[in-house]
Amino acid sequence: MRRSLLLVSLLFALSAAKSYRYPEIRTEVRLQPDGDAAVRQTRTYRFDGDFSWAFVDLDKTGAGGIEFGRLAESTDAGWRSIEPLELSDSRKSLYVKWGYRASDEQKAFRLEYLVKGAVRRYEDVADFHWKLVEDEHEPVERVYSVVFLPGSSDELFKAYVHSRAAPGRIRFGSDNSRVEIWQERLPRNAFQEVRVLARPELFPQATVIGNRAYERILVEEKRGFIASALKLYLLVPLAVLLIVVVPLILVIVFYARFGREPRLEYHAVYEHEPPRDAPPVYLPGIMHQKLDRKARPREVFKGVFASLLGLAGKGVVSVRELGKDHKGSYEFGLDSLDRTKELEPHDRELVEFLFNTVARGKGSFTDHEFREYGQGHASAVRSKLSSWFDDGRRWWERALGGPLLDQRSSKAYKLMTLLLFASIGIGAVCGVYGLRQVTGPGPLPVILSVSAGVVALALFSAFGRSVLRWNEAAFLEHSRWKRFRKFLREFSAIEEAPVKLLAIWEHYYVYAVALGVAEEFLKNVGRLAEVRGQAVVWPAWYVAAGAAGRGAGFASVQQGIQSLSSLGSNFTGMVASFSPKSSTGGGFSGGGGSGGGGGSSGAG
């Protein structure tokens, strides 16, 4: 089985490496007095890989027929005639296939054929309308085409080029008997269609179609040119407008109208106490108004650890630092099963998850075991953490008496999101049609437009969330908790605080962990103890490595701070493991396709 897969992969790689393109296609068209067109086309191929055959399938649509003339290969001695491997003349097309040997090299072939009845002679104009480069082909770097008239056409000589590629150059001969066309970078499957208008008298042997067509043809070409110009010069700028400018204006306008937070009569610099007795695991719900699902596990997990420390302070849980071979690791034990019955529902749920689910009912677990559980059940843990965030939002809504977000801003955000989708979606569609005038058919316009739309939608949706705002009560609560967080991390505020912090620092530490400032807070506690010359009373639930028992003092304040900091960083750092591993005139225009000719080409 493995060998088969290896063989398939090898064949796929070889086929992917084999390709060809056209450095140049040169076409000479000599229009005959009887309306036929003698075509001599030179195709230069650049082969990457081994090739042995090529074909051209010429569509007869719009002609009385196509007659094969000659096939030749360029050699050092000149053009050498070769016989086709296959020549099929059907009602719909002329199919020519020939053989050769080529490997990572460049070769040129010449095909000559006669298009019968290629010129339509009307009473007031002669119309040659033909695809000189077929509908289906590989990319072409340069296209040169020249059309010769049977004679000079001073009074009437116009040429139009239709192609889903960038415009090129047109030059008329000084005697108005020929027109030359240059075009660069013709994408895959982008045809080149040429339309030449001249005096009907130049084709005396052609059958006259008994009506006048000159004005009608000019209207057709004008319409095609306008449509092409609109697609190129209107749709692409319109796409930029709808994908970038309009969404930016929407975000700015909606934010200015609905996104500004309420003005509060609240000017406190610090909150010296927790604003309310809130479950630490639920603090992310009031600290983060717009927390995306990817960030939720990280923030909620801080609250989980803080709640675990809170349970330790209630005598439900103990923490023991492991020594010797397990230095830097910790064991968490469930000390009092009876006390869990007295806990709040959120604390009971936490105990159930940690000591029944994670510890599998054995009453204790280490941080290493928790990390292993998180890696093996990453999706379940992330889902649990996300559900605690949702529970927290509901807890705060009950505590504050209503939704946390202003309802007008929520409705405005939904409307703005709908308008963003509509604007960017329409812009992407405009981009596809506009870019096709430059790149031609193929997946590139779709890829570019859709990619731009997706990036713009992601960016503006993210910035657009600024339209959401707290209601007044929630914003006041949010502001108070921010001031409390600021108090915990700034030593000057702690030193001048009216509360006896050293006596109750353990209670504050729980909130410091949940608010993500545990390390700064512990350093501040240590500095405060040194400044005041007081001892730090260590938690009774913490057993240091090598200590005689619970709450045993450390050799120094610094050692105690380092030990607790290690505990916090070790536990909260686990959240990373919960992610899966994871006169004369003319011009170029788009459109076209109504003329004769076309077909396909290929090589192998």
Side-chain angles (χ1 to χ4, degrees):
M1 179 65 179
R2 186 173 297 177
R3 289 182 178 179
S4 299
L5 290 175
L6 183 60
L7 180 60
V8 171
S9 301
L10 181 60
L11 290 174
F12 178 79
L14 289 174
S15 64
K18 180 177 176 177
S19 64
Y20 76 95
R21 63 187 185 279
Y22 296 101
E24 186 178 58
I25 294 181
R26 299 179 64 90
T27 307
E28 297 179 9
V29 180
R30 295 186 180 274
L31 302 182
Q32 308 298 309
D34 60 359
D36 294 346
V39 180
R40 173 188 288 175
Q41 188 170 75
T42 303
R43 293 171 177 256
T44 303
Y45 294 76
R46 174 60 202 180
F47 298 108
D48 294 321
D50 297 330
F51 287 79
S52 60
W53 54 265
F55 78 88
V56 175
D57 193 14
L58 302 172
D59 193 341
K60 294 182 178 180
T61 301
I66 300 178
E67 296 178 357
F68 173 74
R70 177 177 179 246
L71 184 64
E73 179 180 0
S74 178
T75 68
D76 293 339
W79 290 98
R80 177 178 62 86
S81 295
I82 57 176
E83 292 297 321
L85 292 177
E86 184 178 348
L87 183 62
S88 176
D89 190 1
S90 67
R91 182 174 58 86
K92 292 184 178 181
S93 68
L94 175 67
Y95 178 85
V96 183
K97 180 179 180 180
W98 64 95
Y100 54 88
R101 292 292 179 188
S103 180
D104 298 323
E105 60 183 295
Q106 187 164 296
K107 281 184 173 293
F109 300 94
R110 176 173 288 174
L111 177 63
E112 298 178 6
Y113 56 92
L114 183 69
V115 182
K116 303 292 291 182
V119 177
R120 294 187 178 184
R121 180 185 174 185
Y122 296 94
E123 293 180 356
D124 56 347
V125 68
D127 181 16
F128 171 70
H129 197 180
W130 194 257
K131 288 177 183 173
L132 301 183
V133 178
E134 63 275 4
D135 309 76
E136 299 176 12
H137 59 82
E138 292 303 299
V140 187
E141 296 176 11
R142 295 181 303 277
V143 177
Y144 171 76
S145 302
V146 57
V147 179
F148 294 93
L149 301 178
S152 178
S153 185
D154 296 326
E155 294 83 4
L156 172 58
F157 192 13
K158 296 180 183 293
Y160 304 94
V161 181
H162 309 144
S163 179
R164 294 178 181 176
R169 294 185 297 120
I170 294 178
R171 185 175 69 185
F172 293 89
S174 57
D175 60 351
N176 288 332
S177 65
R178 74 178 186 279
V179 59
E180 296 175 281
I181 301 160
W182 291 268
Q183 208 168 359
E184 305 284 335
R185 294 182 297 278
L186 209 63
R188 177 183 286 107
N189 300 336
F191 60 77
Q192 186 196 71
E193 181 179 83
V194 175
R195 190 171 204 174
V196 175
L197 305 180
R199 293 188 300 113
E201 294 79 12
L202 293 175
F203 304 92
Q205 301 171 26
T207 303
V208 179
I209 301 174
N211 56 54
R212 303 177 67 84
Y214 183 58
E215 294 296 334
R216 173 181 60 78
I217 293 173
L218 291 182
V219 170
E220 288 177 3
E221 291 301 325
K222 182 178 180 180
R223 187 184 298 123
F225 175 79
I226 292 174
S228 176
L230 285 176
K231 288 179 181 179
L232 180 59
Y233 299 109
L234 177 64
L235 289 184
V236 172
L238 183 61
V240 174
L241 183 72
L242 293 174
I243 293 176
V244 178
V245 179
V246 171
L248 181 61
I249 293 174
L250 282 173
V251 170
I252 293 174
V253 170
F254 273 77
Y255 172 77
R257 182 69 178 84
F258 301 101
R260 300 179 187 275
E261 297 295 352
R263 292 184 178 180
L264 300 175
E265 293 298 324
Y266 172 74
H267 306 290
V269 178
Y270 301 108
E271 288 281 347
H272 297 106
E273 298 179 1
R276 72 174 67 220
D277 186 19
V281 72
Y282 290 162
L283 281 185
I286 198 66
M287 294 302 297
H288 301 278
Q289 182 196 84
K290 300 175 278 287
L291 191 61
D292 62 69
R293 291 194 173 273
K294 290 183 178 180
R296 286 184 183 184
R298 181 182 65 252
E299 296 301 319
V300 175
F301 197 67
K302 297 174 187 175
V304 169
F305 180 51
S307 295
L308 183 61
L309 298 182
L311 290 172
K314 296 174 184 178
V316 178
V317 174
S318 63
V319 182
R320 183 168 66 92
E321 184 182 10
L322 303 179
K324 295 183 179 180
D325 296 337
H326 303 284
K327 190 171 181 61
S329 296
Y330 301 85
E331 182 182 61
F332 303 87
L334 182 60
D335 283 5
S336 178
L337 186 61
D338 292 336
R339 287 192 179 183
T340 59
K341 299 176 183 178
E342 304 171 4
L343 298 175
E344 294 292 329
H346 57 271
D347 281 334
R348 287 201 304 271
E349 184 181 2
L350 180 63
V351 169
E352 174 73 23
F353 174 70
L354 293 177
F355 293 98
N356 285 347
T357 304
V358 176
R360 297 177 174 85
K362 65 180 183 180
S364 66
F365 65 92
T366 65
D367 54 340
H368 178 70
E369 289 172 337
F370 196 177
R371 184 177 288 106
E372 284 188 337
Y373 178 85
Q375 290 174 343
H377 305 80
S379 179
V381 174
R382 292 198 311 274
S383 177
K384 187 67 176 177
L385 294 174
S386 184
S387 72
W388 271 326
F389 179 83
D390 294 332
D391 292 342
R393 298 290 279 205
R394 288 188 286 269
W395 187 91
W396 283 107
E397 287 176 352
R398 291 192 298 271
L400 298 176
L404 302 182
L405 298 180
D406 178 76
Q407 294 302 291
R408 290 183 63 209
S409 74
S410 297
K411 292 179 181 179
Y413 175 71
K414 292 178 181 178
L415 175 60
M416 185 196 70
T417 302
L418 180 64
L419 294 175
L420 283 176
F421 268 97
S423 179
I424 294 174
I426 295 172
V429 173
C430 292
V432 170
Y433 284 100
L435 288 174
R436 278 181 177 169
Q437 303 305 307
V438 178
T439 66
L444 186 59
V446 177
I447 293 172
L448 291 177
S449 299
V450 172
S451 298
V454 169
V455 171
L457 190 60
L459 287 175
F460 287 116
S461 294
F463 289 121
R465 292 181 66 84
S466 60
V467 172
L468 295 170
R469 68 182 180 189
W470 299 106
N471 67 30
E472 189 169 341
F475 187 52
L476 176 60
E477 188 74 17
H478 169 76
S479 300
R480 294 186 67 194
W481 280 99
K482 283 182 65 178
R483 302 299 191 278
F484 179 59
R485 182 176 184 271
K486 183 179 180 181
F487 164 71
L488 294 177
R489 69 186 305 176
E490 294 186 10
F491 176 73
S492 59
I494 289 178
E495 187 179 23
E496 299 172 2
V499 295
K500 297 180 179 180
L501 187 61
L502 289 178
I504 58 173
W505 74 268
E506 179 187 335
H507 176 61
Y508 278 44
Y509 177 60
V510 171
Y511 284 110
V513 170
L515 294 171
V517 292
E519 188 172 349
E520 296 98 319
F521 176 71
L522 283 175
K523 290 179 180 178
N524 291 334
V525 169
R527 287 183 62 188
L528 185 64
E530 292 177 3
V531 169
R532 295 185 177 177
Q534 299 178 6
V536 176
V537 179
W538 300 106
W541 44 262
Y542 186 80
V543 182
R550 296 188 181 186
F554 293 94
S556 66
V557 172
Q558 191 64 29
Q559 181 185 354
I561 290 173
Q562 288 178 352
S563 185
L564 287 178
S565 294
S566 176
L567 167 64
S569 60
N570 212 33
F571 197 90
T572 55
M574 290 185 205
V575 72
S577 67
F578 300 157
S579 297
K581 295 178 179 177
S582 35
S583 325
T584 64
F588 283 80
S589 69
S594 60
S600 61
S601 63

